[in-house]
Amino acid sequence: MAASCALVGLRKIKELKEKMQSSGMPWPGVEGAERWEQAWMAIKKVWALKWNKRPYFSTRKVKLDHDCLCMAVLVQEIINADYAFVIHTTNPSSGDSSEIYAENEVRRVFNGEDLEGYTGAGLYDSVPMDEEDQVVLDYSSDALMVDGDFRHSILSSIAVAGNAIEELYASPQDIEGVVKDGKIYIVHTRPQM
């Protein structure tokens, strides 16, 4: 039994490696066994989140058997961004589809499946592989605050990306992304609730 589980585990690791490499992501094992162990520990921490109180109470709220809850782990490269954003391609307050609603705090997202008092990123938290740096930022002299042309360029690029994604999926979208060196990266999108 243990040998067959080990073979399944090796096949899954091989599949994960192939998927990451085919999408252009670096394979953490190239940097050594310790680096792979860090990555594997982060993946297992995400899986373990299924059994914390947030998904348990969220599934009870909508009368879904928690044992029927299936999940996948999204593995993606973290971009050391200049700015982060959340946009709704239809204004969630007014329902006006001609207004894109942007938020400057990633932790305040409108989301129909959430419990009161929880953030809007769905049922599970992100688990970075590396320890996060905590820094105090002062945006008072940042180009986004003081340069109107720069701000217009960044916000227009975000709006164009939002419109393109909404058109692709043919429904209003809740989109999270980042800006790095003026380039827009979409972290994820989902139908807007």
Side-chain angles (χ1 to χ4, degrees):
M1 176 78 166
S4 65
C5 287
L7 286 175
V8 169
L10 288 174
R11 279 196 302 256
K12 293 294 181 189
I13 291 170
K14 182 180 180 213
E15 184 180 340
L16 175 62
K17 181 178 182 180
E18 289 169 357
K19 293 290 184 192
M20 287 178 69
Q21 290 177 330
S22 71
S23 68
M25 288 180 62
W27 176 247
V30 170
E31 300 172 45
E34 182 179 320
R35 191 73 175 143
W36 164 247
E37 286 303 317
Q38 283 179 284
W40 188 237
M41 183 58 66
I43 291 168
K44 291 190 297 186
K45 283 180 180 178
V46 173
W47 275 105
L49 289 170
K50 177 182 177 183
W51 292 276
N52 74 20
K53 65 183 179 180
R54 188 173 175 185
Y56 174 77
F57 287 119
S58 292
T59 54
R60 284 188 61 195
K61 178 183 173 188
V62 296
K63 297 178 178 37
L64 178 69
D65 182 354
H66 184 260
D67 292 335
C68 294
L69 182 64
C70 297
M71 67 177 283
V73 176
L74 172 64
V75 177
Q76 64 188 62
E77 192 170 1
I78 293 177
I79 297 169
N80 189 14
D82 301 320
Y83 310 103
F85 62 87
V86 175
I87 63 171
H88 303 270
T89 59
T90 294
N91 186 324
S93 300
S94 67
D96 187 343
S97 62
S98 69
E99 292 180 348
I100 290 181
Y101 181 84
E103 299 177 13
N104 61 358
E105 287 186 51
V106 175
R107 291 290 180 200
R108 292 190 311 127
V109 183
F110 293 95
N111 183 353
E113 83 238 14
D114 288 337
L115 295 171
E116 178 139 341
Y118 284 98
T119 63
L123 297 177
Y124 303 105
D125 298 318
S126 296
V127 178
M129 190 169 96
D130 297 312
E131 192 171 314
E132 298 172 280
D133 293 333
Q134 295 204 4
V135 295
V136 176
L137 299 174
D138 177 7
Y139 285 107
S140 63
S141 61
D142 189 90
L144 192 64
M145 298 293 124
V146 298
D147 183 341
D149 290 338
F150 177 77
R151 181 173 48 253
H152 179 76
S153 173
I154 293 292
L155 295 177
S156 294
S157 296
I158 292 169
V160 166
N163 285 330
I165 292 167
E166 180 182 74
E167 188 173 306
L168 177 68
Y169 290 106
S171 70
Q173 295 291 301
D174 172 352
I175 303 167
E176 293 187 26
V178 298
V179 179
K180 176 67 176 173
D181 298 329
K183 187 174 179 180
I184 306 296
Y185 295 86
I186 302 302
V187 177
H188 81 247
T189 187
R190 61 181 172 190
Q192 186 173 318
M193 300 290 172

